[in-house]
Short mmCIF file of all heavy atoms in Angstrom, two decimals:
data_model
loop_
_atom_site.label_atom_id
_atom_site.label_comp_id
_atom_site.label_asym_id
_atom_site.label_seq_id
_atom_site.Cartn_x
_atom_site.Cartn_y
_atom_site.Cartn_z
N ILE A 80 -64.64 85.43 52.05
CA ILE A 80 -65.17 86.11 50.86
C ILE A 80 -66.69 86.11 50.97
O ILE A 80 -67.32 85.05 51.01
CB ILE A 80 -64.72 85.39 49.57
CG1 ILE A 80 -63.19 85.39 49.48
CG2 ILE A 80 -65.35 86.07 48.34
CD1 ILE A 80 -62.64 84.44 48.43
N LEU A 99 -59.89 86.49 42.34
CA LEU A 99 -59.66 85.51 43.40
C LEU A 99 -58.17 85.19 43.55
O LEU A 99 -57.68 85.03 44.66
CB LEU A 99 -60.43 84.22 43.12
CG LEU A 99 -61.94 84.29 43.39
CD1 LEU A 99 -62.60 82.98 42.98
CD2 LEU A 99 -62.25 84.60 44.85
N ASN A 103 -55.92 85.49 46.79
CA ASN A 103 -55.17 84.30 47.19
C ASN A 103 -53.70 84.64 47.46
O ASN A 103 -53.07 84.07 48.34
CB ASN A 103 -55.27 83.27 46.06
CG ASN A 103 -55.28 81.84 46.58
OD1 ASN A 103 -55.22 81.60 47.78
ND2 ASN A 103 -55.36 80.91 45.68
N LEU A 109 -58.17 81.71 52.99
CA LEU A 109 -59.41 82.22 52.40
C LEU A 109 -60.51 81.19 52.57
O LEU A 109 -60.27 80.00 52.44
CB LEU A 109 -59.22 82.47 50.90
CG LEU A 109 -58.37 83.65 50.45
CD1 LEU A 109 -58.23 83.62 48.93
CD2 LEU A 109 -58.99 84.97 50.88
N GLU A 110 -61.70 81.69 52.85
CA GLU A 110 -62.88 80.82 52.95
C GLU A 110 -64.04 81.51 52.27
O GLU A 110 -64.11 82.74 52.24
CB GLU A 110 -63.29 80.62 54.41
CG GLU A 110 -62.53 79.56 55.12
CD GLU A 110 -63.07 79.25 56.51
OE1 GLU A 110 -64.13 79.80 56.91
OE2 GLU A 110 -62.42 78.47 57.20
N THR A 111 -64.97 80.72 51.76
CA THR A 111 -66.19 81.30 51.24
C THR A 111 -67.29 80.25 51.28
O THR A 111 -67.01 79.06 51.43
CB THR A 111 -66.00 81.84 49.79
OG1 THR A 111 -67.17 82.57 49.42
CG2 THR A 111 -65.75 80.73 48.79
N MET A 123 -64.58 77.08 39.31
CA MET A 123 -63.55 78.11 39.37
C MET A 123 -62.71 77.97 40.63
O MET A 123 -61.49 78.05 40.59
CB MET A 123 -64.17 79.49 39.29
CG MET A 123 -63.12 80.56 39.14
SD MET A 123 -63.83 82.15 38.92
CE MET A 123 -64.84 82.27 40.37
N LEU A 124 -63.37 77.75 41.77
CA LEU A 124 -62.65 77.59 43.03
C LEU A 124 -61.73 76.37 42.98
O LEU A 124 -60.59 76.41 43.43
CB LEU A 124 -63.63 77.49 44.20
CG LEU A 124 -64.33 78.80 44.57
CD1 LEU A 124 -65.47 78.55 45.53
CD2 LEU A 124 -63.35 79.81 45.17
N GLU A 125 -62.25 75.27 42.41
CA GLU A 125 -61.42 74.07 42.29
C GLU A 125 -60.20 74.35 41.44
O GLU A 125 -59.10 73.90 41.75
CB GLU A 125 -62.23 72.93 41.66
CG GLU A 125 -62.95 72.12 42.70
CD GLU A 125 -63.81 71.01 42.10
OE1 GLU A 125 -64.18 71.10 40.90
OE2 GLU A 125 -64.12 70.07 42.84
N SER A 126 -60.39 75.13 40.37
CA SER A 126 -59.29 75.38 39.43
C SER A 126 -58.16 76.19 40.07
O SER A 126 -57.04 76.16 39.59
CB SER A 126 -59.79 76.08 38.18
OG SER A 126 -60.02 77.46 38.44
N ILE A 127 -58.46 76.91 41.17
CA ILE A 127 -57.37 77.65 41.83
C ILE A 127 -56.97 76.99 43.15
O ILE A 127 -56.31 77.60 43.98
CB ILE A 127 -57.72 79.15 42.03
CG1 ILE A 127 -58.92 79.35 42.93
CG2 ILE A 127 -57.91 79.85 40.69
CD1 ILE A 127 -59.13 80.80 43.34
N GLY A 128 -57.38 75.74 43.33
CA GLY A 128 -56.87 74.96 44.46
C GLY A 128 -57.70 74.98 45.73
O GLY A 128 -57.24 74.55 46.78
N PHE A 129 -58.93 75.47 45.66
CA PHE A 129 -59.80 75.43 46.83
C PHE A 129 -60.43 74.05 46.94
O PHE A 129 -60.59 73.35 45.94
CB PHE A 129 -60.94 76.45 46.70
CG PHE A 129 -60.59 77.85 47.11
CD1 PHE A 129 -59.59 78.56 46.47
CD2 PHE A 129 -61.31 78.47 48.13
CE1 PHE A 129 -59.28 79.86 46.84
CE2 PHE A 129 -61.02 79.77 48.50
CZ PHE A 129 -60.00 80.46 47.86
N LYS A 130 -60.79 73.67 48.16
CA LYS A 130 -61.53 72.43 48.38
C LYS A 130 -62.85 72.78 49.06
O LYS A 130 -62.89 73.71 49.86
CB LYS A 130 -60.74 71.51 49.32
CG LYS A 130 -59.41 71.01 48.75
CD LYS A 130 -59.60 69.73 47.95
CE LYS A 130 -58.28 69.14 47.49
NZ LYS A 130 -57.58 69.91 46.46
N GLY A 131 -63.89 72.01 48.74
CA GLY A 131 -65.19 72.33 49.31
C GLY A 131 -65.77 71.22 50.15
O GLY A 131 -65.49 70.05 49.94
N TRP A 149 -65.99 76.52 51.20
CA TRP A 149 -64.77 76.30 50.42
C TRP A 149 -63.62 77.01 51.09
O TRP A 149 -63.81 78.09 51.65
CB TRP A 149 -64.93 76.85 49.00
CG TRP A 149 -65.86 76.04 48.16
CD1 TRP A 149 -67.23 76.06 48.22
CD2 TRP A 149 -65.50 75.10 47.17
NE1 TRP A 149 -67.73 75.17 47.30
CE2 TRP A 149 -66.71 74.57 46.64
CE3 TRP A 149 -64.29 74.66 46.66
CZ2 TRP A 149 -66.72 73.61 45.63
CZ3 TRP A 149 -64.30 73.70 45.65
CH2 TRP A 149 -65.50 73.19 45.14
N SER A 150 -62.44 76.43 51.03
CA SER A 150 -61.28 77.13 51.56
C SER A 150 -60.03 76.73 50.80
O SER A 150 -60.00 75.72 50.12
CB SER A 150 -61.11 76.85 53.06
OG SER A 150 -60.47 75.62 53.24
N ASN A 151 -58.98 77.55 50.95
CA ASN A 151 -57.72 77.25 50.27
C ASN A 151 -56.70 76.70 51.25
O ASN A 151 -55.54 76.52 50.90
CB ASN A 151 -57.17 78.52 49.60
CG ASN A 151 -56.74 79.57 50.62
OD1 ASN A 151 -57.09 79.47 51.80
ND2 ASN A 151 -56.02 80.57 50.18
N LEU A 154 -57.11 71.57 53.61
CA LEU A 154 -57.08 70.67 52.47
C LEU A 154 -57.05 69.21 52.89
O LEU A 154 -56.51 68.84 53.88
CB LEU A 154 -55.89 70.98 51.55
CG LEU A 154 -55.85 72.44 51.06
CD1 LEU A 154 -54.55 72.71 50.30
CD2 LEU A 154 -57.02 72.75 50.17
#
Side-chain angles (χ1 to χ4, degrees):
I80 300 166
L99 284 176
N103 213 1
L109 288 175
E110 277 187 6
T111 189
M123 188 175 56
L124 288 168
E125 271 177 339
S126 78
I127 62 170
F129 276 61
K130 295 272 186 291
W149 289 78
S150 81
N151 67 346
L154 304 173

